């Protein structure tokens, strides 16, 4: 034993090449000792040499995929032999984070196209890239705890794996054609001889639809330039209009889209999300994203994708391998059973997927990056809790749509991956599996559970049945708390004005809310303003049929005749009677349904939406103009929509273009809510303004609202979705705030 230092490194430091990084620093600074992974991160016992320089480098330098949250150092008597050693992981690693899957690095991409033993090998990876969370079966992150456990390393791969100076040192998925997973092309239940990628490229060139096994599940793939193939894919998948994601190399992509610097940086991140890029004239079928102003693009993020994109040389559709509304397939047998009737052939391999993860979806707005769907590449990255919260364990289960689970432990919040709509039986099974999976993987033992106030949500019912203390959190309070939490707003930093605009959520008064001005913090809130309530005629049908919302808003504005002219094909009298008597027509202040109403008044959406948000997305896509927004007067807590609707109709009669009318609607909504929120800050009642709820996925609305707020502090979502995908985070923080005083 000699006098030295005991250094603890916390953060995203396992499975990212951190130990060989420490080893190389030790050589550089003449330090002796050892480094290991354990339950809390990375532990270093060291002595001799330039310890100050060594420790400074630990803080200031890191491998590409690492994230260092803390370096804790203290003097200690440590065992030191000759040189510096990397020792085996010690014990379960459930206290530390798991690294998300990472896109292929430049070195590995070059290797698969170069001469060498990994040329054309679809499972090439190294410490700086490759699968992580999607192959992980348990912690610590060692090969035996992954779906690579059954692939025994050949001598050449083992030499790389055991060499601290090699970029494949302890890269758990390391493999080559001699010892790793195999790829094949399969048609009608039989493997087709020959190069699998070449066979797939040939089939795609003939207009075929393929199921391609990726990192977190299967994709349905076709040639994106082939209008016939795109139409066939839509028919088979039963997805008539929802945008389809595209994949292409950057060289191909730039022939069809012009990403800005921020968008290009996002595309090239290790997370490799789908990034929304403005449509360009010509080149690709309109059917890829009907009525939308953007297409979702991603770069190839595995060697298999790189090889396939290079072989085809054109953009490919890469959409989730499922029927609409169902979870994507991840197993080979499952894919054959569920996708066999949708596709012409399979591009398949024998590396198992431990858990399904959709592709993340993101965009760059004038206000910065925005996450629309948090999944592959982002999960299970964690968020540090704001100052003031206790380090206790809770679990939260989110809402009914865009479901996601949140676990809080040791001052970190792990917001799980996008699951989808829990009304779907298979998605509900995926939710239960994710709950078991996260609980076991992170050794989570919550003392309380949080859920939505709505008793009909399946996630809420699940929470009530766990036998733990339950904290029911009002839907829009959870949205507000999620925005505060992402922005590290301290527990005792004061109240904020929350503009929370979304579809619907059960309010504290038993009605359906959705267009709210709140004053609150993690511990509670007041509802100070709301959109004038309107009946949702037909209940849930009002969310699917925008004209129903237009009817009631036009009637409220005294424009019943306009409704009769616009919707002559509909039987309006029974709906008006139901609205008057409150028969299956609950009142709601929903901003989402107001967007639907305006889109229907402008005639830009179908009578029945084929996916959630279709009408609102079309409304945003066609907006263009400047000038004053429509009037949305505020009195006695109510934002009255009638003047806005009357001006919208008057502009239509005067021949004002639809794009300008849409822009004036967005501007009016933004200006009205911003004025009241800004007044709360200027009066000293609020310290800042938080913008939350699914409507703030609308980049135009977000930008107009931020500009209307002027110089007051504004908090927005950037790393977590503004939609229900972050509800569980907000619920967990509200629950923790309640536990803080106990």
């Amino acid at each position: 034993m000699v006098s030295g230092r005991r250094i603890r490194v916390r953060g995203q430091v396992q499975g990212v090449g951190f130990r060989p990084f420490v080893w190389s620093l030790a050589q550089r600074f003449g330090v002796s000792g050892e480094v290991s992974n354990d339950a809390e991160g990375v532990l270093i016992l060291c002595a001799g040499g330039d310890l100050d320089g060594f420790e400074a480098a630990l803080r200031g330098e890191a491998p590409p995929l690492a994230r260092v949250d803390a370096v804790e150092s203290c003097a200690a008597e440590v065992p030191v032999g000759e040189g510096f050693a990397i020792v085996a992981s010690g014990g379960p690693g459930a206290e530390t984070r798991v690294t998300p899957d990472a896109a292929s690095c430049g070195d590995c991409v070059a290797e698969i196209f170069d001469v060498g033993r990994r040329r054309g090998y679809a499972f090439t990876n190294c410490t700086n890239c490759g699968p992580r969370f999607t192959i992980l079966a348990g912690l610590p992150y060692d090969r035996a705890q992954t779906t690579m456990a059954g692939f025994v390393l050949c001598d050449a791969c083992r030499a790389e794996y055991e060499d601290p100076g090699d970029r494949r040192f302890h890269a758990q998925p390391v493999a080559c054609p001699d010892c790793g997973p195999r790829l094949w092309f399969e048609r009608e239940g039989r493997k087709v001889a020959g190069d699998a990628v070449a066979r797939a490229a040939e089939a795609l060139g003939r207009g075929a639809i393929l199921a391609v096994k990726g990192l977190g599940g299967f994709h349905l793939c076709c040639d994106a330039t082939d209008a016939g193939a795109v139409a066939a894919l839509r028919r088979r998948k039963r997805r008539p209009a929802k945008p389809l994601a595209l994949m292409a190399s950057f060289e191909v992509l730039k022939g069809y889209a012009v990403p800005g610097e921020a968008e290009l940086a996002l595309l090239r991140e290790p997370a490799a999300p789908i990034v929304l890029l403005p449509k360009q004239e010509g080149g690709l079928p309109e059917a890829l994203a009907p009525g939308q102003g953007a297409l979702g693009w991603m770069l190839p993020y595995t060697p298999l994708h790189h090889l396939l994109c290079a072989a085809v040389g054109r953009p490919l559709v890469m959409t989730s391998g499922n029927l609409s509304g169902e979870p994507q397939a991840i197993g080979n047998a499952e894919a054959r059973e569920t996708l066999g009737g949708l596709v012409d052939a399979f591009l398949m391999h024998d590396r198992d997927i431990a858990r399904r993860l959709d592709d993340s979806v993101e965009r760059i707005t004038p206000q910065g990056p925005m996450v629309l769907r948090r999944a592959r590449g982002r999960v299970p990255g964690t968020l540090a809790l704001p100052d003031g919260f206790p380090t206790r364990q809770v679990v939260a289960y989110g809402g009914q749509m865009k479901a996601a689970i949140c676990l809080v432990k040791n001052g970190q919040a792990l917001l799980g991956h996008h699951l989808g709509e829990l009304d779907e039986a298979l998605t509900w099974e995926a939710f239960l599996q994710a709950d078991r999976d996260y609980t076991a993987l992170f050794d989570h033992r919550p003392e309380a559970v949080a859920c939505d106030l709505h008793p009909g949500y399946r996630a809420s019912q699940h929470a009530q049945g766990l036998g733990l203390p339950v904290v029911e959190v009002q839907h829009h309070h959870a949205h507000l708390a999620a925005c505060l939490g992402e922005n590290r707003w301290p527990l005792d930093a004061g109240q904020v004005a929350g503009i929370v605009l979304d579809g619907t959520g059960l309010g504290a008064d038993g009605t359906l809310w959705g267009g709210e001005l709140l004053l609150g913090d993690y511990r509670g809130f007041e509802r100070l303003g709301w959109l004038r309530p309107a009946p949702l005629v037909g209940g849930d049908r009002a969310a699917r049929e925008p004209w129903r919302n237009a009817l009631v808003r036009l009637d409220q504005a005294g424009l019943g005749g306009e409704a009769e002219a616009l919707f002559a094909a509909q039987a309006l009298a029974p709906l008006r009677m139901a609205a008057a008597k409150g028969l299956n027509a609950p009142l709601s202040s929903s901003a989402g349904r107001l967007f639907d109403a305006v889109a229907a008044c402008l005639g830009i959406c179908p009578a029945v939406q084929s996916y959630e948000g279709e009408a609102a997305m079309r409304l945003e896509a066609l907006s263009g103009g400047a000038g004053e927004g429509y009037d949305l007067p505020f009195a006695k807590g109510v934002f009255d929509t009638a003047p806005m609707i009357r001006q919208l109709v008057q502009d239509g009669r005067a021949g004002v273009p639809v794009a300008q009318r849409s822009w004036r609607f967005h501007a009016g909504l933004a200006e009205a809510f911003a004025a009241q929120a800004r007044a709360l800050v200027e009066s000293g009642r609020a310290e800042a303004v938080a913008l939350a709820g699914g409507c703030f996925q609308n980049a135009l609305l977000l930008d107009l609202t931020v500009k209307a707020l002027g110089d007051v502090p504004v908090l927005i979502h950037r790393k977590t979705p503004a939609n229900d995908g972050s509800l569980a985070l907000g619920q967990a923080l509200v629950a923790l705030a309640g536990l803080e005083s106990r």
Side-chain angles (χ1 to χ4, degrees), residues 610-625:
S610 66
Y611 60 93
E612 185 204 6
E614 180 177 5
M617 290 170 65
R618 287 174 177 260
L619 193 63
E620 176 190 359
L622 61 77
S623 294

Side-chain angles (χ1 to χ4, degrees), residues 509-524:
D509 60 359
T511 66
L512 297 176
W513 296 0
E516 313 303 317
L517 175 64
L518 307 180
L519 177 66
D521 55 18
Y522 302 105
R523 295 187 177 98

